[in-house]
Amino acid sequence: MKIENLISQIRQKKSFLCVGLDTDLDKIPKHLLQEDDPIFAFNKAIIDATHSFCVAYKPNIAFYEAYGLKGWKSLERTMEYLNQNHPEIFTIADAKRGDIGNTSTRYAKAFFETLNFDSITIAPYMGKDSVEPFLDFEDKHTILLALTSNQGAFDFQTKIVGEEELFKEVLKVSKTYQNTDRLMYVVGATKASYLAEIRKIVPQSFFLVPGVGAQGGSLEEVCQYGITENVGLLVNSSRGILYASNGEDYMQAAAEQAKKLQEKMEVELKRIGFLS
Amino acid sequence: MKIENLISQIRQKKSFLCVGLDTDLDKIPKHLLQEDDPIFAFNKAIIDATHSFCVAYKPNIAFYEAYGLKGWKSLERTMEYLNQNHPEIFTIADAKRGDIGNTSTRYAKAFFETLNFDSITIAPYMGKDSVEPFLDFEDKHTILLALTSNQGAFDFQTKIVGEEELFKEVLKVSKTYQNTDRLMYVVGATKASYLAEIRKIVPQSFFLVPGVGAQGGSLEEVCQYGITENVGLLVNSSRGILYASNGEDYMQAAAEQAKKLQEKMEVELKRIGFLS
């Protein structure tokens, strides 16, 4: 997908919401467990209930791999369903991959070609030749971990390298890679004060922002420090939407939570004049 | 697997060779493409040919994921074959995963439980709560990326954090995690001079050493700087063994390459007195 198409989706839906598909058999409504493929059944229902309020879906690959072959099948079916019914929606493989060149190329093929994702999350530790194979793919996007939303982010990401934090070094070095127009960044919402500093280094790039809601980040703060004239934000919510109810009314509850976030986002989009 | 069992395997086979299963349909002998599951057929043949000379197998997960559901099935069959026929051999999921806590737990289940690997490679960028979920599993091992063998290692891993390189910081911080007796480290052979410095920080831990052979590292140098009284090394070779021949004689050629490495390792094991 081209970035312009993502931006036009945001304008049309008045939303920059990403719904994280962290589908967990222990948490989905019990009646779905009778289905042949409960994971897909749940994902389909969530997509049907929320697609008007969001511009992106982000399957968390670990949740599928944990179920082995069955999980991988559910992931394939979910992507087929999205590609067929909602090709305008941006898809993110939350995979956090990264390996030496020829191996990264394999992961890129797995997610960009075999599964037809629009983007994938990538860890930066192995450097340039682990990231660039993903950037080779036209109209596909590589979302590099910069500053994550977990406590462990303070172990290394915020350590000072030379004169500034490692995550800033990651941002700066990544700007020297090839095809940087295909780069986006993971920037956790739990440290909104860092967002302004990050925005200075990469003023135009899209950020995938986890950590709003369950992890305590504030949407208003994220927008205050991170929003650009083209929005430049995809704010993710997973558990708050997926598991808003685990009863028969789960679709309605998920839709309500997604709509609530969409409405808050609409306010922000109007505030900056992106929507009139 | 307990570490003592790995060490006793090394003694028995006079080898600390790990064979990397980077199985690529474009490189395996053409006649195997007629098989129902050419990836598994190739892996089985390689295992049959080399198991006397090695103590570990390391499927590179990207190569399986690239083929989607079929690839995942081939991986499952490979692990079933190994677990049934060679339960004494140490298995490594070369997956380079790492994510926030509840997601890392999912990856741990995928590889330690669903696929029954003995170990997995993990990227450190997200810190403590992304690594410890893997360390929770008894008799399973977490192989943390410290210093990798690719050019991109110089992007971040060797940058100075405080007073020393990031990879040393990773080693030191990781020693404060829970269940560190289940930690091993990836240490690339292409920078053997760093090995002595790394060995000072983690004197007892096992290192998974890629980069000998195709990537230019020397086995003798690795042993000179990295070997311990309990060996503490698993040296990997992938392409040099798997694709020693792409003709009908590929099994024999693979066995010969594995045997050559085993014989060199035997010399080193005798030199340090591990073998008499």
Side-chain angles (χ1 to χ4, degrees):
Chain A
M1 182 182 294
K2 290 193 192 308
I3 209 82
E4 303 85 72
N5 296 346
L6 173 60
I7 295 168
S8 103
Q9 266 294 294
I10 293 174
R11 194 180 302 278
Q12 196 184 318
K13 289 185 177 162
K14 305 177 172 57
S15 168
F16 44 96
L17 176 62
C18 172
V19 174
L21 297 172
D22 299 15
T23 306
D24 180 344
L25 288 179
D26 293 337
K27 289 189 183 163
I28 68 176
K30 292 285 167 281
H31 70 277
L32 289 177
L33 298 177
Q34 300 155 12
E35 300 274 339
D36 265 0
D37 182 347
I39 296 176
F40 173 68
F42 179 76
N43 285 354
K44 180 180 173 302
I46 291 292
I47 292 165
D48 290 348
T50 61
H51 69 88
S52 313
F53 309 116
C54 70
V55 295
Y57 286 105
K58 179 175 73 65
N60 183 335
I61 306 305
F63 283 72
Y64 302 85
E65 286 193 350
Y67 298 114
L69 211 58
K70 274 192 189 172
W72 200 260
K73 181 77 193 161
S74 304
L75 178 62
E76 279 197 0
R77 292 184 69 190
T78 301
M79 286 307 294
E80 276 166 23
Y81 187 75
L82 279 170
N83 282 313
Q84 279 171 20
N85 296 279
H86 304 288
E88 75 288 357
I89 293 186
F90 190 74
T91 49
I92 302 168
D94 198 0
K96 305 204 171 67
R97 300 298 195 259
D99 207 312
I100 60 170
N102 70 332
T103 302
S104 272
T105 300
R106 294 275 152 173
Y107 279 127
K109 280 177 193 281
F111 291 101
F112 291 158
E113 291 183 351
T114 308
L115 288 164
N116 198 27
F117 274 97
D118 293 310
S119 67
I120 183 171
T121 56
I122 296 297
Y125 192 70
M126 293 181 69
K128 181 179 172 123
D129 54 334
S130 74
V131 179
E132 284 189 339
F134 293 96
L135 295 171
D136 279 346
F137 288 72
E138 208 178 333
D139 296 335
K140 300 289 185 180
H141 305 270
T142 300
I143 311 178
L144 198 63
L145 299 187
L147 184 63
T148 58
S149 58
N150 62 321
Q151 187 59 29
F154 297 103
D155 270 13
F156 308 114
Q157 296 168 28
T158 57
K159 289 271 165 78
I160 302 299
V161 176
E163 291 183 343
E164 56 194 1
E165 293 91 345
L166 176 61
F167 70 87
K168 291 185 188 163
E169 181 75 8
V170 166
L171 290 162
K172 287 182 180 173
V173 171
S174 75
K175 288 175 72 177
T176 68
Y177 294 167
Q178 290 195 346
N179 301 311
T180 49
D181 56 313
R182 298 172 190 161
L183 267 180
M184 300 180 172
Y185 299 93
V186 172
V187 182
T190 42
K191 302 168 196 78
S193 60
Y194 281 129
L195 260 167
E197 299 170 43
I198 292 174
R199 199 36 108 187
K200 276 187 203 152
I201 303 171
V202 280
Q204 299 297 332
S205 305
F206 260 82
F207 297 164
L208 171 62
V209 185
V212 168
Q215 292 176 61
S218 136
L219 179 65
E220 291 74 15
E221 268 193 349
V222 168
C223 292
Q224 183 183 343
Y225 297 113
I227 209 161
T228 71
E229 56 176 3
N230 281 322
V231 188
L233 295 174
L234 291 172
V235 170
N236 183 74
S237 175
S238 302
R239 284 165 279 177
I241 291 173
L242 301 191
Y243 309 119
S245 159
N246 66 356
E248 300 269 346
D249 64 338
Y250 72 106
M251 287 178 69
Q252 196 188 330
E256 275 165 19
Q257 289 305 312
K259 187 161 189 286
K260 258 188 208 168
L261 282 167
Q262 178 273 317
E263 285 169 351
K264 282 188 187 176
M265 290 174 177
E266 187 172 344
V267 172
E268 298 295 330
L269 294 173
K270 285 184 173 156
R271 188 179 58 75
I272 62 159
F274 180 82
L275 294 176
S276 52
Chain B
M1 183 182 293
K2 291 193 191 305
I3 209 83
E4 302 85 73
N5 296 346
L6 173 60
I7 295 167
S8 103
Q9 266 293 294
I10 293 174
R11 195 181 302 277
Q12 194 182 321
K13 290 186 177 162
K14 305 177 173 58
S15 169
F16 44 96
L17 176 62
C18 172
V19 174
L21 297 172
D22 299 14
T23 306
D24 180 345
L25 288 179
D26 294 337
K27 288 189 182 160
I28 67 176
K30 292 285 167 279
H31 71 275
L32 289 177
L33 299 177
Q34 300 155 12
E35 301 274 340
D36 265 0
D37 183 345
I39 296 176
F40 172 68
F42 180 76
N43 285 353
K44 179 180 174 303
I46 291 292
I47 293 164
D48 290 347
T50 61
H51 70 88
S52 313
F53 309 115
C54 69
V55 296
Y57 286 105
K58 178 175 76 64
N60 183 333
I61 306 305
F63 283 72
Y64 301 85
E65 286 193 351
Y67 299 113
L69 211 58
K70 273 191 190 173
W72 201 260
K73 182 76 193 159
S74 304
L75 178 62
E76 280 197 0
R77 292 184 70 190
T78 302
M79 286 306 295
E80 276 166 24
Y81 188 75
L82 278 170
N83 282 314
Q84 278 169 22
N85 297 279
H86 304 287
E88 74 288 356
I89 292 186
F90 191 72
T91 51
I92 303 169
D94 197 0
K96 304 202 170 67
R97 300 297 195 261
D99 207 314
I100 58 170
N102 69 331
T103 302
S104 273
T105 300
R106 293 275 153 173
Y107 280 127
K109 280 176 195 283
F111 291 101
F112 291 157
E113 291 182 352
T114 308
L115 289 164
N116 197 26
F117 274 97
D118 293 310
S119 68
I120 183 172
T121 58
I122 296 298
Y125 193 70
M126 294 181 70
K128 180 178 172 123
D129 54 333
S130 72
V131 179
E132 284 190 339
F134 293 96
L135 295 171
D136 278 346
F137 288 73
E138 206 179 333
D139 295 334
K140 302 288 184 180
H141 306 271
T142 300
I143 311 179
L144 198 63
L145 299 187
L147 184 63
T148 58
S149 59
N150 63 321
Q151 188 58 30
F154 296 104
D155 271 13
F156 308 114
Q157 295 169 29
T158 56
K159 289 270 165 77
I160 302 299
V161 176
E163 292 182 344
E164 56 195 1
E165 293 91 345
L166 176 59
F167 71 87
K168 292 185 189 163
E169 182 75 8
V170 166
L171 290 162
K172 288 183 179 174
V173 171
S174 75
K175 288 174 70 177
T176 68
Y177 295 167
Q178 290 195 344
N179 300 312
T180 50
D181 55 313
R182 298 170 189 164
L183 267 180
M184 300 181 173
Y185 299 93
V186 172
V187 181
T190 45
K191 302 170 196 76
S193 60
Y194 280 128
L195 260 167
E197 298 170 44
I198 292 174
R199 198 38 105 186
K200 276 188 204 152
I201 303 171
V202 279
Q204 298 298 334
S205 305
F206 260 82
F207 297 165
L208 171 63
V209 184
V212 168
Q215 291 175 63
S218 135
L219 179 65
E220 290 73 15
E221 268 193 350
V222 168
C223 292
Q224 184 182 344
Y225 296 113
I227 210 161
T228 70
E229 57 175 3
N230 281 322
V231 188
L233 295 174
L234 291 170
V235 169
N236 183 72
S237 174
S238 303
R239 286 166 278 177
I241 291 173
L242 300 191
Y243 309 121
S245 160
N246 66 357
E248 301 269 347
D249 64 338
Y250 73 105
M251 286 177 70
Q252 195 188 331
E256 276 165 19
Q257 289 305 312
K259 187 162 189 285
K260 259 188 208 168
L261 282 167
Q262 179 272 316
E263 285 169 352
K264 282 189 187 176
M265 290 174 177
E266 187 172 344
V267 171
E268 298 296 331
L269 293 174
K270 284 182 174 157
R271 188 179 58 75
I272 62 159
F274 180 81
L275 294 177
S276 52

